[in-house]
Amino acid sequence: MDWHGLVSRIRAGEASGMEDLYGLFARGIRYYLCRQLGNQEIDDKVHDTFVIVVQAIRRGEIREPERLMGFVRTVVRRQVAAYIDTVVHTRRDELNLDVGARVADRRRNPEQHAVTQQKTDLMIEVLRGLAPRDREILTRFYLEEQSQEEICREMDLTETQFRLLKSRAKARFGEIGKRKLQQKSLNAFRTRTSSSLVH
């Protein structure tokens, strides 16, 4: 093959140059793409690669015509890599959508709802058992999600006072909560024991 002549004819826009180049594509390049990607859209891939190579020749990017087929192989490999990358991303997106369609129902069943309600009731009971200042700081910080600065300003506290007060309030909350849980467990045990004795 006269590579210099071929490149010159394509650059000049001669139809014979385009036909000769396409002949090369129709044989080797088609086979390579078919082996890498299968028969799907093979004509489109051959055409896309051909167009990229022709445009490169016309822009004068092929400075060494004898290396034209090396350039073509590089373009083809990039086309294959881009196609595979697209397929992988598409499949991953489809998989994510499929996984999303099978997400379990997160709504609580009656038993879970009852347990949550019991915990909420216990927390309210524990909060009521705290000193007013302790209750206020925990309610503002954890339930109303006020910032430390806001609480310090409105309760007239320094940062150190806030930290100490919050820490003490949390400790008291934990103590009272543990005590009430133990008491409830003991009461539940007594109820079960007495009902089994009756039966």
Side-chain angles (χ1 to χ4, degrees):
M1 174 63 72
D2 176 13
W3 299 111
H4 283 271
L6 178 62
V7 168
S8 297
R9 281 184 291 139
I10 293 169
R11 203 175 284 166
E14 290 179 23
S16 64
M18 304 280 272
E19 285 166 11
D20 288 349
L21 182 64
Y22 204 87
L24 292 169
F25 269 71
R27 292 191 299 273
I29 305 306
R30 177 179 289 276
Y31 175 72
Y32 178 81
L33 285 169
C34 191
R35 215 176 59 198
Q36 296 295 318
L37 307 175
N39 283 322
Q40 279 189 326
E41 303 172 359
I42 198 73
D43 289 326
D44 290 343
K45 296 288 172 289
V46 170
H47 181 74
D48 291 347
T49 309
F50 178 78
V51 168
I52 290 168
V53 172
V54 168
Q55 287 174 344
I57 291 170
R58 286 185 172 163
R59 286 194 300 263
E61 292 173 11
I62 309 300
R63 294 186 184 87
E64 298 174 40
E66 62 275 8
R67 294 191 175 183
L68 176 62
M69 289 316 289
F71 175 75
V72 169
R73 279 191 289 275
T74 301
V75 171
V76 171
R77 284 192 199 107
R78 285 180 186 161
Q79 290 286 93
V80 168
Y83 179 79
I84 291 169
D85 191 50
T86 303
V87 168
V88 167
H89 278 91
T90 303
R91 282 186 186 157
R92 191 166 57 213
D93 292 345
E94 286 171 0
L95 182 68
N96 288 342
L97 285 172
D98 191 38
V99 168
R102 289 180 293 183
V103 170
D105 186 358
R106 296 285 183 203
R107 286 176 296 191
R108 292 192 186 99
N109 61 34
E111 189 179 323
Q112 290 169 322
H113 184 73
V115 169
T116 304
Q117 188 59 50
Q118 283 176 350
K119 286 179 182 174
T120 305
D121 292 344
L122 177 66
M123 286 172 68
I124 291 168
E125 196 180 326
V126 172
L127 273 173
R128 285 184 183 143
L130 292 175
R133 201 166 169 79
D134 291 350
R135 181 170 58 246
E136 184 180 359
I137 202 159
L138 292 181
T139 303
R140 281 173 176 266
F141 191 76
Y142 291 106
L143 299 179
E144 296 171 10
E145 296 181 351
Q146 291 182 2
S147 67
Q148 178 181 314
E149 294 76 21
E150 199 176 353
I151 296 168
C152 285
R153 189 176 58 249
E154 291 181 11
M155 291 182 70
D156 195 28
L157 301 168
T158 65
E159 279 187 33
T160 307
Q161 287 172 328
F162 168 81
R163 286 200 194 98
L164 288 171
L165 191 58
K166 182 164 76 81
S167 177
R168 192 188 68 196
K170 275 173 67 178
R172 284 288 295 143
F173 184 89
E175 286 166 23
I176 296 170
K178 200 180 292 180
R179 208 163 48 238
K180 287 201 178 289
L181 271 175
Q182 286 170 346
Q183 198 175 355
K184 284 181 187 294
S185 297
L186 190 61
N187 289 343
F189 176 73
R190 283 181 185 149
T191 304
R192 279 198 305 273
T193 308
S194 61
S195 64
S196 64
L197 288 172
V198 169
H199 294 295

